[in-house]
Amino acid sequence: MQVNSMDLTRIQFVKSFVKSRYPQTIISVFLLAGFVLAIMAGFIGTPVGSQNFSIVFVWIAWWAILILVAVPFFGRGWCAVCPIPRAGDWLQRGAIIDPAAKKPNWLGWRVPKFLRNMWTQNITFSLVVLFSATILTNPRTTAIVLAAMLFMAIGLAMVFERRSFCRYLCPVGGFIGLYSKLAPFELRVKQKNICAGCHGKPCYNGSTDGAGCPWDVFPGGLVANTYCGLCFECIRTCPHDNIAFSVRPFSVEAATPTAKLDEAFKAFIMVGSAISYAIVLMGTNGMIKLAAYQVFSRGWFLNALLLVGTNFVGLPFLFWLFVRFGRSQRALNAKQFAMASSALIPLGLLFWVAFSLSFVLANATYIMVALSDPFGWGWNLFGTAGMDWQPLGSAYVGILQAGVLVAGLVWSAFVAQKTADRSKVPAWRVILFCLAVTMVMMWLLL
Amino acid sequence: MKPFFPLSVGLLALLAIIVPIQPISSVPSKRVFTVEASQYAYSPGVISVNPGDMVTINLVATDVAHGMYIEGYELAVFSDPGQSASITFVADKNGHFRLRCNVSCGAMHPFMVGEIQVGQNYLLVRAFGIATIAAIAFIVYQHKIRPQNASE
């Protein structure tokens, strides 16, 4: 999309930054060290979550940066420096910085076609949500999940070509991809006709300058941010200097909604999960909390059933009722349904922002404590280990959340209007649905 | 008409934010609550008082040590297992405020929350109002101002 975007690679500093592999690699290696520390802290540190680096840095610090800053403003910016696929990348390419003279002979299979969609990520994210009460609070469980993600990314890099873990399995990557459509940055080709005539398509197939797109995307056909991981490898391999990294208005992809059901369901899952978290984690009912925490208990199964039922059936059905009820003229097909549900993308993102404000600011002081004493062993590296717990901005969090939720509704109404022409679903129906779920979220959080 | 539409909507939204809501008048009284704290909830989980009430909360930790931090009022109390500790304050701020455990009491400690409701929740009422105005404004805009884009 070339609407009102400004190519940042025209700025020499930015171009040098994205052309070189060093900045990304250095940031990633630094984050990888933090990631490994989080795994270690989870296994050998204190079992008290609020005093353990793994819980505090992953679920408070990292989550806050991800959902409040990285995703809304930079889209897949986190994926650009994510440490999880890094080791797998190195092994797959046989190199850390510059391309190897000869690539190692790993299996390099292509991911089966039936798995090349967002459904697996919908399932992995749902699994994380189902176990989240323990994952978010138990350091050892967090460590197991982080280690599993790391080793799975490495293992899959040995078996399949490119970044199959990021593209098809990462529970976080799915929703980052969905919400990156709203972000004010995009990576696109400058002139499509140059790509059409390009011999060998090194941006996709790789060359001596670098790897073919690790995200299995041909940049020449890129129209949405969803599956572009901002690794910038195509900028490095393009022999025609035809790839631009641009800044653009927020939500510019809203006018071209997806017609894919897997992405539509991702939007429903995100909205439903945010509501579920608001009930379970921020609600006052201790029985519900215990049910969510006591994995495989009867209460947990009931909770899981309700969550899966709401996210995969209840919410989509309710949406269908809103957009279909009383309309006799036309039937509603799956493509229309998927396109109309695009309005839930900004709504879901801001639901998560509002929910996260509830606990991130309240628990931010734990970050200083864990920084000084990451394992909970009584260290005081920076003199902050004894800092008392003190919620930040508690007098204003509610007002902030109300503003965020209203902004989410306005944004989704704007998207509903933009998509109405293509989906042939009247915007007012989608807006009423968004208003209804926004009111539910307001009632839960405010 | 077109330039007046966003202006009217903006004015309505502003009204929803600033219009004073008359609190339901009540005679301030002394209110005493005994709240049991156990992993990971308060019982009762929600306390309702009237604005101006003198509120005393006796916190009793029934299993491990628990605390109670009253957001908005920025007050805290701490209770050892089996012991009671109390806090008294005048509920002079309207609204709904979270009660949070401020002592690490176990895995789900960061999510051990309760609520104190002081009068009506005007923030929620105003948020509902603004959300409704925004939704109606978009629908009206679609049908009256840009009817060519309304599909139905």
Side-chain angles (χ1 to χ4, degrees):
Chain A
M1 194 156 300
Q2 300 294 326
V3 185
N4 296 328
S5 60
M6 189 185 88
D7 179 8
L8 294 174
T9 53
R10 275 193 269 170
I11 303 166
Q12 195 49 47
F13 166 75
V14 178
K15 189 162 189 173
S16 307
F17 190 85
V18 296
K19 272 267 190 188
S20 168
R21 289 186 185 87
Y22 282 95
Q24 256 177 307
T25 308
I26 289 166
I27 297 169
S28 267
V29 168
F30 175 74
L31 293 171
L32 186 58
F35 193 81
V36 172
L37 180 64
I39 294 173
M40 279 173 57
F43 281 123
I44 63 175
T46 172
V48 180
S50 53
Q51 290 166 24
N52 189 303
F53 181 88
S54 68
I55 294 289
V56 174
F57 265 76
V58 175
W59 302 122
I60 299 175
W62 169 78
W63 179 256
I65 292 168
L66 182 79
I67 207 71
L68 303 180
V69 183
V71 174
F73 295 101
F74 301 101
R76 284 234 188 233
W78 167 256
C79 299
V81 293
C82 178
I84 297 172
R86 203 51 62 170
D89 267 5
W90 294 336
L91 287 168
Q92 195 181 60
R93 296 176 194 179
I96 290 178
I97 303 284
D98 293 324
K102 188 176 180 300
K103 272 175 69 174
N105 285 323
W106 302 109
L107 290 175
W109 292 348
R110 187 135 177 82
V111 171
K113 195 175 179 188
F114 75 97
L115 290 174
R116 277 185 251 147
N117 50 56
M118 214 181 253
W119 285 114
T120 42
Q121 286 176 312
N122 288 343
I123 292 167
T124 53
F125 179 80
S126 298
L127 284 172
V128 170
V129 173
L130 289 181
F131 291 93
S132 60
T134 41
I135 295 173
L136 298 181
T137 57
N138 188 319
R140 182 155 292 193
T141 314
T142 282
I144 290 168
V145 170
L146 298 184
M149 288 171 79
L150 187 66
F151 288 114
M152 224 180 280
I154 293 171
L156 289 178
M158 309 295 92
V159 176
F160 296 106
E161 60 170 12
R162 306 175 198 260
R163 280 193 187 175
S164 49
F165 174 81
C166 303
R167 176 73 198 259
Y168 302 114
L169 207 61
C170 178
V172 180
F175 76 77
I176 296 181
L178 188 76
Y179 292 148
S180 68
K181 291 176 175 206
L182 307 170
F185 289 97
E186 66 179 15
L187 189 140
R188 300 286 187 273
V189 295
K190 296 172 189 171
Q191 293 179 48
K192 293 206 172 191
N193 60 326
I194 294 178
C195 297
C198 176
H199 181 68
K201 310 275 190 285
C203 61
Y204 182 74
N205 295 315
S207 68
T208 51
D209 290 327
C213 178
W215 289 76
D216 200 17
V217 169
F218 172 52
L222 203 57
V223 290
N225 280 357
T226 320
Y227 302 109
C228 169
L230 293 182
C231 65
F232 302 121
E233 205 59 20
C234 55
I235 291 185
R236 294 163 195 143
T237 53
C238 179
H240 309 290
D241 193 19
N242 193 36
I243 313 271
F245 177 56
S246 307
V247 63
R248 63 181 193 181
F250 280 96
S251 196
V252 79
E253 283 172 32
T256 51
T258 177
K260 296 177 178 172
L261 269 181
D262 54 342
E263 293 180 20
F265 268 79
K266 169 61 78 186
F268 285 112
I269 290 165
M270 295 309 294
V271 167
S273 300
I275 292 173
S276 145
Y277 273 29
I279 295 170
V280 175
L281 300 179
M282 298 316 301
T284 58
N285 191 314
M287 297 264 286
I288 296 176
K289 284 183 211 295
L290 277 178
Y293 183 71
Q294 290 167 343
V295 172
F296 301 133
S297 66
R298 190 182 293 181
W300 182 85
F301 277 111
L302 186 65
N303 183 49
L305 193 69
L306 278 171
L307 186 80
V308 172
T310 303
N311 287 356
F312 284 88
V313 183
L315 214 50
F317 180 68
L318 193 65
F319 182 77
W320 182 85
L321 276 183
F322 266 80
V323 298
R324 181 71 188 89
F325 190 73
R327 290 181 81 205
S328 52
Q329 309 94 307
R330 326 181 177 98
L332 182 75
N333 63 37
K335 278 187 175 181
Q336 287 176 290
F337 178 85
M339 283 196 273
S341 68
S342 294
L344 302 189
I345 298 174
L347 193 78
L349 174 61
L350 293 196
F351 272 22
W352 278 95
V353 169
F355 161 74
S356 301
L357 286 170
S358 308
F359 78 93
V360 163
L361 291 174
N363 296 303
T365 44
Y366 288 136
I367 295 171
M368 303 307 290
V369 177
L371 203 60
S372 269
D373 188 12
F375 300 105
W377 288 347
W379 297 357
N380 196 1
L381 299 174
F382 304 104
T384 54
M387 191 180 259
D388 285 333
W389 175 84
Q390 178 74 34
L392 301 179
S394 62
Y396 308 103
V397 168
I399 297 168
L400 208 56
Q401 287 175 311
V404 165
L405 292 173
V406 169
L409 175 67
V410 169
W411 199 352
S412 62
F414 171 78
V415 173
Q417 285 193 339
K418 288 273 182 190
T419 53
D421 290 344
R422 281 172 180 253
S423 68
K424 305 295 176 204
V425 171
W428 68 268
R429 291 171 172 273
V430 179
I431 293 170
L432 284 184
F433 175 83
C434 293
L435 175 65
V437 287
T438 299
M439 284 181 159
V440 170
M441 196 64 173
M442 283 174 168
W443 178 69
L444 290 169
L445 288 181
L446 303 180
Chain B
M1 182 189 172
K2 278 183 185 176
F4 293 109
F5 185 74
L7 194 67
S8 317
V9 173
L11 272 174
L12 269 174
L14 192 67
L15 272 176
I17 295 169
I18 63 169
V19 71
I21 303 174
Q22 190 64 38
I24 300 162
S25 60
S26 57
V27 181
S29 58
K30 284 188 177 178
R31 307 289 301 274
V32 180
F33 297 92
T34 297
V35 177
E36 287 189 350
S38 58
Q39 289 175 324
Y40 299 97
Y42 297 105
S43 178
V46 180
I47 297 169
S48 296
V49 299
N50 292 318
D53 282 355
M54 175 80 80
V55 181
T56 298
I57 296 174
N58 296 317
L59 182 71
V60 184
T62 59
D63 43 17
V64 296
H66 288 285
M68 179 189 280
Y69 183 93
I70 307 170
E71 287 192 349
Y73 285 82
E74 320 306 338
L75 298 168
V77 64
F78 164 85
S79 168
D80 278 319
Q83 304 292 308
S84 169
S86 66
I87 187 169
T88 300
F89 61 99
V90 177
D92 54 1
K93 292 174 190 167
N94 240 84
H96 289 194
F97 304 94
R98 281 213 172 83
L99 311 170
R100 288 183 189 268
C101 182
N102 57 348
V103 179
S104 279
C105 61
M108 291 281 279
H109 153 70
F111 303 110
M112 180 170 165
V113 291
E115 188 173 271
I116 180 163
Q117 302 175 342
V118 184
Q120 298 299 306
N121 189 354
Y122 297 133
L123 179 63
L124 183 65
V125 172
R126 289 181 198 280
F128 273 5
I130 297 168
T132 308
I133 290 167
I136 291 172
F138 268 94
I139 293 168
V140 170
Y141 179 78
Q142 185 87 27
H143 281 262
K144 302 288 182 195
I145 316 289
R146 290 177 65 222
Q148 72 276 13
N149 288 337
S151 308
E152 196 176 72

